Structures are given as C-alpha cells and as structure tokens.
C-alpha cells in the first residue's frame, strides 16, 4: 500500500505542480501590465510654455490664415510635416493588390454614406485641417492654408463654419483660441471623427461623443474614472504623422495603431488564450458590442431620397428613438445600439471599389477586407496571418450608372439652388451629370440604385475584461458568434455528420448487444439452475 | 475455493488511474466537442489538456512497467482458442459452460482480450495520443509540417473517442461474466481473484515453472569438466 501511494504521488507530481502553478497565477495576478506607455499620474502634464505670453499672439487676427502665420513664425516649417500627412492631403499613395500604386483617400474614394466629396468640397472640408478647400483649385502648398487650431484648440470654442471650405465661424475669438493651445484631446479629434457622415456615431459605431465622458463599461481606456486616455496616447504621433488608420480609406497593412504596442501579443498570462491571438484579433473578444451608448447608422437607402412635402420642401422624419428615419436629402435610415459585430477574416489589407471599377459583386463591397482562414502568414501567403476581426457592416443602396456598370458621384451640395446639387434640386440625373463632369468621368445618363456594403473594423469601446467574450460565445453549436465564418473547423461548433452518425451507431449497437446478451444470460441461467435442481431432485 | 493474486499493485493503480482519466477525458472531450455544457467550455479545455498530459505520463510509466516485468508478453495476440472463446460468449455462457481458457498468472487475458487490448495499444491509443497532441499544438505550424486544417485531426480524435466509448461499454459489461458477477471487479480492486482448487492450481503452475526456469539453469557439465581437466594437466606440466 505504501509503495502504491509513493507511485501515485510520483505520477501526479506533474499534475499537482501544474495545478499549483495555475493557482499561483491566479493569486498573483498582477493586473494589466503595459509597455511603451507612461501613466498619466507619472507624467508631467503642465505645458512647457504659456502661449498667452507670446507677443505675436497678442493681436486681433483679421483672419485664420494670420493665426497660422503666427504659429509658423515660432514653430518653423511645421507645415511641411502637416502637408505630408493624409489629414492634409486626404489621400496617400497606396498599393492595391494587383493594381499597383494608386493615390487614395477621402479625396477620391466613394463610401456608402454621403458617397464622396467631389463637387461638394466646400461642405465636406469643414473637417479638413485647412482653410479654403472649396474646389479642385485649392492650394495644398500654401503654408497659411493649414488650420492649426482645429486640432490644438484647448478652449472648446473653436468651430468651423458649415459650407465654407473649413474656415472658422466668424464668432470665434481667434486671439483667445490661439493663446490656449495644446496637445489634441478627445474633443479635438472627435469633432470630425465622431461626427463623420453627418451626425454623431453615423459611421464608426465605436467612436462617438459619449467617449468624451464615459464609464469603464463603455471604454476602459478613455473612461473618465479610469486612465482617461487621449486618442494620441495610442495613435502615437511623430512629426504630425499619427499611427493608425481606418480601412474605409486605407489599403495596406502598415502604420497601424495596435493593442500589442502596449499590451504585447501575450498579455493574458495564460497560454491557451494568448494562443488565440495568432488568429483572433484582441478586438474580437474585447469589443463584444459597439454603439454602447448612442445609436449608429446600420442602413442607408438613397433610393428613397427626394420625396418632398406638400409645399415642395424637403422634410425629415424621426424614428421612435429620435434618430432620422427619413430625410428627403438622404433617404431612409436604420439605426441601432448595442450592436453585435459581424466577424471577418482580415490580414490588414483592403481593396476598394473605385469610381472607375466595374461592379462585379452585389452587394458592392466598397472596401473589401482581405483574408481567410487559409491565409496563415508565417510560411504562407502574407506576412501576418489573417485574424478574425469584429466589423461593423454598413449596408445601403446607392446610385450607380446602369450602362457603364460603375458607381457614380452625384453632386450633392451647393450654396444655392440651380447648381444641380441633389440636396437642393432633388434631380438625380442632373446631379450625377454635374458630379461626373466635375471628375471628367463618363456617365451614360441611366442611373439605378445598387446594394452596397462597407466594412468598419472595430477598435474602440473596449470593454472591461470581465465583459469580454467567453469561450462558449464562439465554441458552441447554437448561435456561435462565428456561425457565418465557415471556412475552417472550429471546435465546439463544427461536427461532421458521418463521424457523428457512425460513432453514435457504434455506441447504440454495443448497448443493444450488451443488453440482449444480459437478458439471455438471465433467462438461460435461471433455466439452467432450474433444470439442475430438477435433476438433483430426481437423483435423490 | 481459493484466492489467487492476479493483479499486482502497480497494475491495479495503472488500470484505475487510466480508467478514471479516460472517463474524465470523455466527459471533458465531448463538452469541447459541443455535445453538452457541463463544467464550462474553458474548464473543459483546461482539464482535458491536463488530463491528456497525465494520461501520457501514466502511459510512459505503464510501458516501462510492462517492459521491465515482461508483462507485455501477455498482450501478444494468438489465434488459438479465439473461436472457442467466441463460442463461449455466444452459447457456452448461457449453459454455464466453463471458460475455454483458464486465467493464469502469466496469461491473464483470453484470446479475444489479447486481440482487443493489442489493437487498443497499437492502434487506438497511439492514434488518440498523436491526434490529441496535434490538436493541442495545432497553433504552431512548423515549416514543412503546417497542417491546412484542424478538421481531419479533430475527426480522427472524435472517431477514436467513439471507439473508446464502445470499448468501455462492452468492457464494463464483460466484467460481469466472471466466476460471479463481481469477482472480476473485486480482483481488479484487491488483486485477488476467487478460483476453484483446480483453476487456482492451473493459474499458478506456469508461474512456478517459469520462476524455476528464470532462476535455475542446467549447466552443460562436459565442457567445463574438459576445461578443468586441461587446467589440471597444465598445472601438472608445470
């Protein structure tokens, strides 16, 4: 017996050890360890200079250009950095798989929200970091065209005017703003990135005004009660070049802002979960839902746009939650909150449906995310394996050229009626003619509406660890989050019916055999003993 | 009636630990397979992995034991008496006929057991271990050995699991076909199996013989004598 227990002990020593190690891990959980990041509490947050004391800023600025000139008089040649960024150029040279280098960006890419900026620049460029971009004649080389204040204003009073090419409102006190500047906060970035597409949270779903003051449940990084991080804490910036971009406009797997830059690719102190990171993006588990506070736009049908009320005026109707359900200028919308993402394989490379491209899939994929299970990286096609990503898919119907089979650019906006802008004249044909002529592209004159999809990989609204996805959310036969990602075998979700059928048949057959055999034994034994007793009785 | 010491301490420890581990692996394995929710998917995965490792370690010890003790020979399949054993299970057992092959200390397994255990040891268990650890380490493609998909690995592992369940069902049933319903079970727990005088005699006969052969050897006397003689003559010459 003693020998036995010794052997048992030796055998289970490794198991015991394993259990102890795991126990130790849970007891000594050090919390979240981050790298390449200095906590705000450990930083000197006082500005190094006081801009109110600079003489050059003590002037009533006639116009915004003069402010920029003043900035550049000390911050010499900073405009050169700005002018190299896509925030300024609204395009960058991107390699599209199999198509070579194409300059792409907001300047020329179409989306399935407000479609595109061409012909309507004066209103769209309210979100451009410059002054005066109203048409193609804008001078991208003029240093004083740069708008420093939109990003560096710390007063919250700096606002750009509608439809005026990015100039500030006349009410803005330029002297006050220019003397109160600093590193961009969430409000600076948010004024454009929260409001893209014509309203709060229309586009991203995970970027919206609630992030200006939110709880840990909404976003662990930006929560006011938490680390209260600014955008640029993750979107690390050097010489005005910000890390990170969105695949609505980008195509290449480069200069991305990643979770790994602070958290490493093995942050869990747990091998099985860390291993998932090989093929599953952090975001997939840690952003279980998006649009956690305000609604985001899920569907935009342009084909119903243009209805006017009895006075011939444009109108709009709210839905029960107060969001626009219908707008004469834009069509029909569907909004949603607490949306469960859709999941796609993604290797960091995206393709785009350019205005010159033939439509070959319906729905049209505006920015197809590349990747598949088989794209494993390492020794295979791409450098990085495709990972499963959570994506907001924005679906819609938008105008296209039925003869040339391409998407088209209608002119949407103008200062006044009669310029063939759809939002004022409500004439699709005229607005497309105008828009396509502006781009010097062909238009057959026959338009229709085609279904489109646009993909927005999610990165923000990271939930606390306790609310991240659990194994069973994906590894389950019913209602798996990955139910639609079918190009691979997922344990717990997938079975092969032949394997199951033959296995279960085997079990049933063996059970039947065993039961029949047992019954026979009982019957025959009894008969045998009875006959034996009978014989014995006879003999005596 | 007599009792014969049939199963040694380690053998029983190995058997029951393996039984427990296989049962536990089944339970957690089919949860991972998505068949039911019992202890939670995450727990199932962790415990299944740990139990897999424990079983591997146990198997290494058991193999060592089998090799060093020579017990492995008990698993060499034989065609002899397979038919008789089959007939016993199909007809004899109902007539209370005697087992065609008596249990001996050096030959505990009947011919069908030999065949089945041999097949388990040589085919099913290695396939389960290899597919299991491939499953576990699937994430780390090695150049030249990057599997395209987990699918075939998972299918093989699942088929193996179904075969093992089938084995367990039949095995559990056949336990009851001993001298009495529980005599086999008691033997595997205590090591001692109840037997008739005659059976007990047969069971120990060969172990006595083999022990004799093992420790006592006939010496070839002539050669040695000759050598001795030569030695003697040599010394005489001196």
């Amino acid at each position: 017996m003693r020998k036995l227990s010794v052997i048992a002990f030796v055998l289970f020593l490794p198991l015991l050890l394993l259990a102890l190690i795991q126990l130790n891990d849970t007891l000594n959980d050090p919390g979240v360890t981050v790298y390449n990041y200095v906590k705000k509490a450990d930083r000197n947050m006082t500005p190094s200079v006081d801009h109110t004391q600079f003489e050059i800023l003590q002037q009533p600025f006639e116009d915004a250009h003069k402010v920029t000139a003043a900035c550049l008089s000390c911050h010499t040649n900073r405009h050169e950095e700005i002018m190299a960024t896509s925030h300024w150029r609204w395009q960058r040279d991107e390699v599209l798989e199999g198509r070579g280098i194409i300059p792409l960006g907001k300047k020329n890419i179409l989306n399935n929200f407000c479609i595109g900026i061409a012909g309507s620049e004066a209103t769209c460029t309210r979100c451009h970091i410059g002054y005066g971009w109203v048409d193609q004649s804008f001078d991208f080389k003029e240093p004083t065209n740069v708008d420093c204040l939109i990003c560096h204003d710390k007063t919250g009073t700096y606002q750009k005017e509608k439809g005026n090419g990015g100039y500030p409102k006349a009410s803005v006190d330029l002297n006050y703003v220019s003397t109160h500047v600093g590193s961009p906060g969430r409000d600076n970035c948010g004024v454009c990135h929260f409001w893209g597409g014509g309203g709060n949270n229309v586009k991203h779903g995970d970027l919206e005004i609630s992030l200006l003051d939110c709880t840990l449940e909404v976003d662990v990084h930006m929560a006011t009660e938490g680390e209260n991080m600014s955008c640029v804490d993750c979107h690390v910036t050097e010489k005005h070049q910000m890390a990170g971009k969105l695949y609505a406009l980008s195509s290449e797997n480069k200069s991305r802002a990643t979770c790994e830059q602070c958290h490493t690719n093995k942050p869990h102190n747990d091998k099985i979960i860390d291993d998932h990171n090989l093929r599953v993006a952090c975001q997939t588990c840690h952003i279980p839902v998006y649009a956690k506070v305000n609604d985001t736009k899920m569907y935009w049908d342009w084909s119903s746009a243009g209805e006017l009320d009895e006075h011939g005026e444009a109108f709009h109707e709210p839905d029960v939650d107060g969001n626009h359900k219908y707008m004469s200028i834009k069509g029909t919308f569907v909004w949603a909150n607490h949306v469960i993402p859709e999941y796609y394989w993604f290797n960091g490379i995206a393709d785009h449906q350019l205005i010159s491209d033939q439509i070959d899939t319906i729905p049209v994929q505006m920015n197809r995310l590349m990747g598949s299970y088989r794209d494993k990286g390492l020794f295979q096609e791409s450098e990085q394996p495709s990972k499963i990503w959570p994506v907001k898919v924005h679906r819609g119907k938008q105008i296209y050229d039925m003869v040339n089979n391409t998407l088209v650019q209608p002119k949407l906006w103008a200062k006044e009626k009669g310029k063939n802008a759809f939002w004022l004249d409500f004439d699709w044909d005229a607005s497309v003619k105008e828009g396509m002529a502006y781009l010097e592209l062909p238009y057959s004159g026959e338009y229709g509406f085609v279904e489109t999809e646009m993909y927005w990989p999610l990165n923000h609204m990271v939930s606390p660890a306790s609310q991240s996805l659990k194994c069973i959310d994906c590894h389950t036969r019913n209602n798996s989050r990955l139910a639609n990602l079918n190009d691979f075998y997922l344990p717990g979700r997938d079975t092969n019916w032949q394997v199951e059928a033959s296995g279960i048949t085997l079990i049933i057959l063996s059970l039947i055999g065993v039961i029949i055999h047992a019954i026979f034994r009982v019957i025959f034994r009894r008969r045998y003993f009875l006959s034996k007793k009978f014989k014995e009785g006879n003999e005596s | 009636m007599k009792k014969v010491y049939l199963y040694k301490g380690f053998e029983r420890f190995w058997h029951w630990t393996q039984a427990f581990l296989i049962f536990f692996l089944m339970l957690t394995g089919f949860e991972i397979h998505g068949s039911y929710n019992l202890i939670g998917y995450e727990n199932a995965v962790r415990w299944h992995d740990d139990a897999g490792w424990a079983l591997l370690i146990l198997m290494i010890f058991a193999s060592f034991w089998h090799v060093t003790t020579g017990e492995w020979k008990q698993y060499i399949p034989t065609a002899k008496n397979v038919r008789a054993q089959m007939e016993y299970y199909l007809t004899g057992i109902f007539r209370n006929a005697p087992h065609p092959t008596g249990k001996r200390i050096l030959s505990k397994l009947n011919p069908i057991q030999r065949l089945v255990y041999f097949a388990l040891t040589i085919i099913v268990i290695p396939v389960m271990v290899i597919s299991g650890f491939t499953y576990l380490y699937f994430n780390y493609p090695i150049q030249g050995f990057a599997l395209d998909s987990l699918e075939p690995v998972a299918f093989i592992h699942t088929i193996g699991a179904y075969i093992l369940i089938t084995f367990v069902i039949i095995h559990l049933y056949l336990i009851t076909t001993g001298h009495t319903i529980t005599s086999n079970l008691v033997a595997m727990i205590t090591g001692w199996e109840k037997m008739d005088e005659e059976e007990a005699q047969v069971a120990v006969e060969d172990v006595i013989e083999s022990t004799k052969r093992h420790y006592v050897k006939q010496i070839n006397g002539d050669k040695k004598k000759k050598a001795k003689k030569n030695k003697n003559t040599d010394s005489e010459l001196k």
Side-chain angles (χ1 to χ4, degrees), chain B residues 127-159:
Chain B
V127 163
M128 286 306 272
V129 170
I130 292 166
S131 61
F133 281 90
T134 313
Y135 205 131
L136 192 55
Y137 287 98
F138 179 75
N139 286 333
Y140 310 98
I142 302 161
Q143 189 137 31
F145 184 69
L147 285 174
D148 262 354
S149 166
L150 181 60
E151 201 161 5
V153 181
F155 288 173
I156 291 169
H157 205 64
T158 311
I159 289 171

Side-chain angles (χ1 to χ4, degrees), chain A residues 11 270-271 275 278 373-374 376 379 475 477 489 491-492 496 500 503 506 517-518 520-521 524-525 528, chain B residues 13 32-34 41 46 58 61 89 94-96 135 138-141 147-148 154-155 162 166 173 176-177:
Chain A
L11 262 179
D270 181 298
K271 195 169 165 302
D275 286 352
L278 282 168
Y373 173 74
R374 284 188 169 261
K376 289 187 180 183
F379 315 120
H475 294 280
R477 290 192 192 171
Y489 180 88
N496 173 292
E500 299 308 299
L506 211 58
H517 199 269
F520 271 46
R521 262 170 79 202
F524 281 99
R525 276 280 159 98
Y528 172 79
Chain B
F13 167 77
I32 294 169
H33 191 51
Y41 201 88
R46 291 189 198 292
L58 180 68
F61 275 84
Y89 283 134
F94 304 123
R95 289 185 277 109
N96 214 23
Y135 205 131
F138 179 75
N139 286 333
Y140 310 98
L147 285 174
D148 262 354
F155 288 173
Y162 278 121
T166 310
Y173 172 69
T176 65
T177 62

Side-chain angles (χ1 to χ4, degrees), chain B residues 175-212:
Chain B
I175 285 173
T176 65
T177 62
H179 217 283
T180 64
I181 294 222
T182 55
S183 64
N184 280 340
L185 181 66
V186 170
M188 193 43 95
I189 293 170
T190 63
W192 296 88
E193 182 155 335
K194 270 188 191 168
M195 291 188 185
D196 294 339
E197 299 281 340
E198 213 174 304
E199 284 173 331
Q201 184 66 27
V202 173
V204 295
E205 250 170 20
D206 57 348
V207 81
I208 294 167
E209 271 311 305
S210 109
T211 311
K212 273 185 189 165

Side-chain angles (χ1 to χ4, degrees), chain A residues 14-288:
Chain A
L15 250 188
L16 194 74
L17 225 75
L18 242 145
L20 281 176
I21 289 167
Q22 278 187 2
L23 190 73
N24 193 37
D25 286 353
T26 46
L27 290 179
N28 295 337
D29 185 3
V32 180
T33 316
V34 293
Y35 303 86
N36 307 319
Y37 178 77
V38 182
K39 294 227 162 148
K40 280 195 170 163
D42 303 329
R43 278 190 236 166
N44 182 357
M45 302 290 280
T46 41
S48 41
V49 291
D50 178 2
H51 280 84
T52 57
Q53 296 186 22
F54 289 122
E55 213 170 297
I56 192 150
L57 299 177
Q58 309 297 334
Q59 52 164 310
F61 292 103
E62 283 164 43
D63 61 44
H65 296 287
K66 296 261 169 24
V67 179
T68 306
C71 297
L72 291 174
S73 70
C74 290
H75 300 278
T76 51
N77 296 332
R78 292 301 223 184
H79 65 279
E80 288 171 10
E81 291 172 18
I82 288 292
M83 287 174 175
T85 66
S86 41
H87 270 131
W88 173 257
R89 299 175 60 219
W90 278 18
Q91 71 173 29
R92 56 194 140 199
D93 292 338
E94 294 266 293
V95 176
L96 281 192
E97 294 255 304
R99 304 213 221 176
I101 298 168
I102 303 176
L104 287 177
K106 287 192 85 64
K107 212 181 203 171
N108 55 0
I109 279 184
L110 300 187
N111 62 47
N112 66 357
F113 294 87
C114 293
I115 301 175
I117 72 162
S120 310
E121 285 93 337
T123 187
C124 302
T125 55
R126 191 180 171 203
C127 268
H128 181 243
I129 55 163
Y131 301 126
W133 183 359
V134 293
D135 56 30
Q136 286 159 334
S137 68
F138 178 64
D139 185 356
F140 283 93
K141 298 223 163 71
E142 171 53 45
T144 61
N145 278 352
V146 172
D147 180 354
C148 306
L149 299 177
I150 188 66
C151 299
H152 293 286
D153 163 44
K154 292 276 100 184
T155 68
T157 63
Y158 184 82
Q159 286 178 322
K160 291 191 175 229
E161 202 177 334
K162 266 189 176 177
N164 199 19
Y167 282 103
K169 288 182 178 171
S171 58
V172 172
D173 181 345
L174 290 173
N175 176 261
Y176 174 59
V177 174
S178 67
T179 50
H180 295 83
V181 288
S183 175
R186 296 201 294 270
D187 48 351
N188 294 99
C189 306
V191 70
C192 287
H193 291 281
F194 295 166
W195 292 86
N200 179 48
N201 210 15
V202 164
K203 279 184 171 171
H204 291 262
D206 61 342
L207 282 181
E208 57 116 352
I209 51 168
S210 73
L211 294 174
L212 293 177
D213 182 12
C214 70
T215 60
L216 285 164
E217 269 68 37
V218 175
D219 188 288
V220 287
H221 297 110
M222 292 183 256
T224 315
E225 57 187 295
E227 181 60 13
N228 201 3
M229 289 168 72
S230 354
C231 308
V232 289
D233 281 326
C234 295
H235 294 275
V236 179
T237 305
E238 208 178 337
K239 298 196 183 299
H240 285 101
Q241 289 283 358
M242 311 198 132
K245 64 222 185 126
L246 200 79
Y247 286 91
L249 299 167
S250 310
S251 317
E252 286 182 74
N253 187 13
K254 63 180 189 190
S255 55
R256 297 167 73 177
T258 66
C259 309
E260 285 90 345
Q261 66 199 26
C262 293
H263 292 287
T264 78
N265 58 6
K266 290 184 173 57
H268 297 98
N269 205 11
D270 181 298
K271 195 169 165 302
I272 297 175
I273 299 176
D274 280 342
D275 286 352
H276 276 72
N277 189 233
L278 282 168
R279 302 309 303 273
V280 181
C282 311
Q283 289 86 336
T284 300
C285 301
H286 291 282
I287 308 175

Side-chain angles (χ1 to χ4, degrees), chain B residues 72-100:
Chain B
W72 64 274
K73 290 176 197 150
Q74 301 219 13
Y75 297 89
I76 299 171
T78 163
K80 218 173 115 186
N81 280 336
V82 171
R83 213 192 151 90
Q85 188 67 33
M86 214 64 197
E87 278 169 6
Y88 169 76
Y89 283 134
L90 291 176
T91 60
I93 191 169
F94 304 123
R95 289 185 277 109
N96 214 23
H99 279 271

